[in-house]
Amino acid sequence: MSARPILSIYRTLMRSMTALVVLCFVLFSVSGYLLVLRPSLDKLAQASMRDASLPLLLGLRDEFGRLEHTLAGARQMVSDQAEDLLDDAGIRSLNRSLIPLLIANPSVTAFILADAGGQGYLLLRNPDGTWTNRITHPAAWGGRARFLVWRDARNLIAESWRETNYDSRTRPWYRGAVALPANAAFHWTEPYIFFASGQPGITVSMPVRSELGGRRVIGMDVLLQTVSNQTQALKMGQRGSVAVLSEAGAVIGLPGEMASSTSALLKPVTSFTGSPLAATYAQWVNAGRPQGQQLRQNQDGEEWLAEFLPLVLGDKRLWVAAYSPLNAFAPWSDLLPLQMLALIFGGAVLAAFLSAWVARVISRPVEELATAVGALAEGDKVARVKVRGPREERQLTDAFN
């Protein structure tokens, strides 16, 4: 078995110093990433996500609050109305008051009014700018309804009768308002399909009393497409999105990565198999539906962040869901491993050069002294060594000389 070669002091110093410097550099880089860079990246992503989702949440809250205020303002218009809602003069009077109100609130598609006797009034905004009244009275007319189409608040275009079998008292907006507790002013329905337009929407309603003490319910319809337009226009980072969901998990506001489609509204989020929204929702449900807590998950090898914020409407609660790949907030984050490897490699090369120089400075006097000792052993009694290097090496050289 051959003897292991003995390294020179230069090589020993260079290897030891290089290994020590590289080890320190690696430890410093890894600890810096784990303790400083990664937490900073996470905080940046969290703050960016909150900055994107919070304006939508506050905007919807303000919008729905404004609708409640508008509905409360319309209460006086209705309470002044005569008990008979079927009177032509009364219908015209309501239209003159309510058409300007709906024009001032473009998110409202219809105003509805009904009393305990079954009389029902609807003012519907049509896509062509005209207005339609639907007047119902099941006790007097059965399932037939009277329809009036208006160019504006004063000019009638057409009148017709149709079989609708509509009774306001069976609708969720009426029943919810009648059942409101004494300390509640407004009732928000669950999202549902409007009877008149066939469009998905949500209704805010409230009970009122007429001047003669009769009980009535008034309400305003809001299309879900209005909410969806806001969510689809909002982006988070490069690929993140925001959606609005019902408590039961139905989609109320579509995220930006989905095509705008009325038919997609009110579908369960779980039906969008393979979408980032479905994966995010499943993780949120499995985590116990935390409120305002940012979640992490891996989708197809990519790390995502998600957050669900509540939007309270009366006794109902909607959820604003924000989700995005982590690298959407810091595009350079995917290159961090390669950047760290390049940094460590560069540090190792630099450490090798510096270690070689330091090792040479320290080892040269020792090597020269070793050469002189060898010459002395061979009989050269005039061998001398130049005094240089650290103090201990200088003392050793002086002693030899």
Side-chain angles (χ1 to χ4, degrees), residues 50 57 61 247 283-285 287-295 306-312 316-321:
R50 184 62 61 86
L57 174 68
R61 185 179 297 168
E247 183 72 12
Q283 187 208 18
W284 177 63
V285 171
R289 303 167 70 97
Q291 174 179 314
Q293 175 185 332
Q294 292 189 336
L295 306 173
E307 183 178 31
F308 287 74
L309 299 174
L311 174 60
V312 178
K316 302 297 188 297
R317 184 166 57 174
L318 306 180
W319 292 95
V320 175

Side-chain angles (χ1 to χ4, degrees), residues 83 101 147:
E83 288 296 309
L101 184 143
F147 287 84

